[in-house]
Amino acid sequence: MKSRILKIARLPAMLDEQLHARYTVIDAAEDGRDLSPATADIRALVANGESTVRRELIARLPALEVIVVFGVGYDGVDVAAARERGISVTHTPDVLTDDVADFAMTLLLGIARNTRVADRFARSGAWVDGPFPFTRKVSGARLGIIGLGRIGSAIARRAAGFEMTIAYTGRQPQDVAWPYYPSVLELATAVDFLVVAVGGGASTHHLVDAEVLAALGKEGYLINVGRGSVVDEAALAQALAEGRLAGAALDVFENEPRPHPGLLELDNVLLAPHSASGTWSTRRAMSNLVLANLAAWAEGTPLPTPVPD
Ligand code: NAP
Ligand code: 8YV
């Protein structure tokens, strides 16, 4: 008999098909709030990077053994509550690193060179009346990275190809040649482009606040491919609208799928719908890793990619 698994995330069709072929899949809303009472025998839960798996949901699943996240970020999962019950949590590190780093550079180049507005300008006929306004050179500029992990390091390697000067912050210095700044504020003061590559959760909430944006200054740019919760989005919208920041390019938002309304009409903003890892090959690799973690759980073998302790 197929195991019954609970799915609380929208997943790619290629993964959905495989899940349905191998398991009996119970679909619930993104945070499990429309869960039917028939949950006593559910032993596996599939979520994604945006899902919230709170203590209350875990408590409603008395037989739960594993939470499998389609995504590397698992800040929505109450890992402490899972651990208390001996429930394993897995995620999909590494396979998406290249795409997210590529996309961070896409956003950085796009906002600096104003490609969104340039496209509109070329299409609209405005070009007939004169040339496009000058933009900001990227090569050789100063880049600051918040979170020099898998993705942050991949961004740094790409930026080195643009001869950018690289610096970073995190909870502690790493064994790299790039200079370490002990705080986001000090890093923001020293760079032209500040990239968020850190995950969400209480310890990173609003690391980029009004003070950091002021330190980045009116010539500075913010890029966020980490989590929306890391940036005070209202403060960001205000700084951009008042010309106290040159621009921002964002893939993630505090209240997805609804970016702060103050960002929507601004030309010095480039927005993407949390799509940094959204290529066919990466989503296939993430799907395969989800299936591999579920298969290992079902067979009682070691899980390929558990979240770190
Ligand atoms: P990772 O390798 O664990 O890197 C996270 C980095 O953040 C580490 O270098 C860590 O360094 C630093 N960090 C952790 N807590 C911190 C804190 N409180 N203050 C400052 N720095 C802190 O993870 P990854 O694979 O690079 O992924 C990073 C994040 O990217 C994910 O968690 C996810 O939120 C996001 N992401 C977004 C997308 C997207 O579609 N936009 C896709 C994938 C991932 P220290 O431990 O030295 O502090
Ligand atoms: C995905 C992500 O978009 O891996 C993460 O943490 O945020 C992204 O890769 C997401 O998990 C899929 O919904």
Side-chain angles (χ1 to χ4, degrees), residues 10 48-50 70-73 92 96 100 227 274 277 283 286:
R10 279 192 214 155
N48 68 8
E50 296 93 318
F70 176 81
V72 66
T92 62
L96 43 64
V100 181
R227 277 287 178 268
H274 201 147
S277 68
R283 289 291 163 91
M286 292 165 67

Side-chain angles (χ1 to χ4, degrees), residues 160-176:
F162 286 87
E163 290 161 354
M164 297 184 86
T165 307
I166 294 152
Y168 71 100
T169 187
R171 285 172 297 190
Q172 63 266 320
Q174 316 233 358
D175 187 17
V176 293

Side-chain angles (χ1 to χ4, degrees), residues 50 100 103 107 196-198 222-231 233 236 249-256 258-260 263 270-276:
E50 296 93 318
V100 181
F103 204 67
L107 290 175
V196 178
V198 79
L222 180 75
I223 290 91
N224 189 1
V225 292
R227 277 287 178 268
S229 58
V230 181
V231 176
E233 218 166 280
L236 174 64
L250 312 168
D251 184 51
V252 286
F253 303 90
E254 280 198 87
N255 182 28
E256 295 183 7
R258 290 183 180 75
H260 190 284
L263 297 169
L270 183 56
L271 305 176
H274 201 147
S275 53

Side-chain angles (χ1 to χ4, degrees), residues 156-196:
R157 291 194 296 275
R158 282 154 178 73
F162 286 87
E163 290 161 354
M164 297 184 86
T165 307
I166 294 152
Y168 71 100
T169 187
R171 285 172 297 190
Q172 63 266 320
Q174 316 233 358
D175 187 17
V176 293
W178 302 307
Y180 170 75
Y181 286 79
S183 73
V184 176
L185 189 60
E186 286 161 280
L187 182 68
T189 310
V191 300
D192 307 304
F193 294 90
L194 185 63
V195 177
V196 178

